[in-house]
Amino acid sequence: MRKCLACISLLITLWCAVPVRAQQDSIRYPFSSGQQEQYAATVTASKGYISGICVLINENDTIKGAIVNEFGISALDFSYDVKADKVTLNHVIAMLDKWYIRGVLREDIRQLLSLVRKGIYSYDDEKYHIRYDLKPMNPSNNDNNDTEEPTLPD
């Protein structure tokens, strides 16, 4: 009887572990060192918004990130120490570079990255009415040589 219960417990454990592994593979977060993830990013506040690309890179238990707009201008550069659960803002555009805004950004980015780690790609700061949305981008295949060369008309 004990062997039967042990086998049933093992089968249930294995059966439950398969969906968890598949779910973790679908999460787009730089878990390992050197891994990079890219997102379409939008930060919306009551007086305006910032949109562009957010890039996260894992470097030895530190997530380094940047939000860059469509013109290549960096809006935010930050570091997130995973072990200390602390965000450091390295660069903020002049419009947002105020001590009280920097504090809100630090806490919001920390909350957003903890949600991204779980597979949730948006965060609402209800106190300040700021919404952060990330949408995972598909990696580009730069080594794919199946593209067709454009031809000029005669």
Side-chain angles (χ1 to χ4, degrees):
M1 182 70 165
R2 287 186 181 178
K3 287 183 180 180
C4 182
L5 289 175
C7 288
I8 291 172
S9 297
L10 179 64
L11 288 174
I12 290 173
T13 304
L14 291 174
W15 179 71
C16 291
V18 171
V20 170
R21 178 69 181 152
Q23 180 184 5
Q24 186 174 359
D25 288 342
S26 67
I27 296 173
R28 301 286 305 271
Y29 182 84
F31 286 105
S32 61
S33 186
Q35 186 178 359
Q36 174 181 327
E37 294 294 337
Q38 297 177 1
Y39 308 89
T42 306
V43 180
T44 309
S46 59
K47 294 188 178 185
Y49 72 95
I50 298 172
S51 65
I53 297 173
C54 177
V55 179
L56 300 178
I57 300 171
N58 187 330
E59 292 183 359
N60 302 327
D61 292 332
T62 300
I63 304 294
K64 294 189 177 183
I67 297 178
V68 181
N69 74 1
E70 289 85 358
F71 297 108
I73 298 170
S74 177
L76 296 169
D77 291 334
F78 58 90
S79 306
Y80 173 60
D81 186 349
V82 177
K83 290 182 180 178
D85 195 30
K86 182 180 177 185
V87 171
T88 304
L89 296 175
N90 302 324
H91 170 75
V92 180
I93 59 173
M95 168 175 82
L96 300 175
D97 198 10
K98 313 285 190 272
W99 67 268
Y100 48 91
I101 295 176
R102 289 177 75 97
V104 171
L105 287 173
R106 270 193 298 271
E107 180 60 24
D108 288 352
I109 291 170
R110 188 183 70 76
Q111 292 287 340
L112 179 64
L113 290 178
S114 67
L115 290 172
V116 169
R117 188 178 187 103
K118 298 174 186 174
I120 301 168
Y121 300 105
S122 64
Y123 172 68
D124 283 314
D125 183 337
E126 294 177 3
K127 182 177 180 181
Y128 296 103
H129 307 289
I130 304 171
R131 179 170 176 86
Y132 300 83
D133 289 306
L134 298 178
K135 182 180 175 188
M137 297 175 67
N138 293 331
S140 62
N141 293 334
N142 293 333
D143 47 43
N144 187 358
N145 293 329
D146 294 340
T147 58
E148 193 173 306
E149 293 286 330
T151 57
L152 297 174
D154 292 328

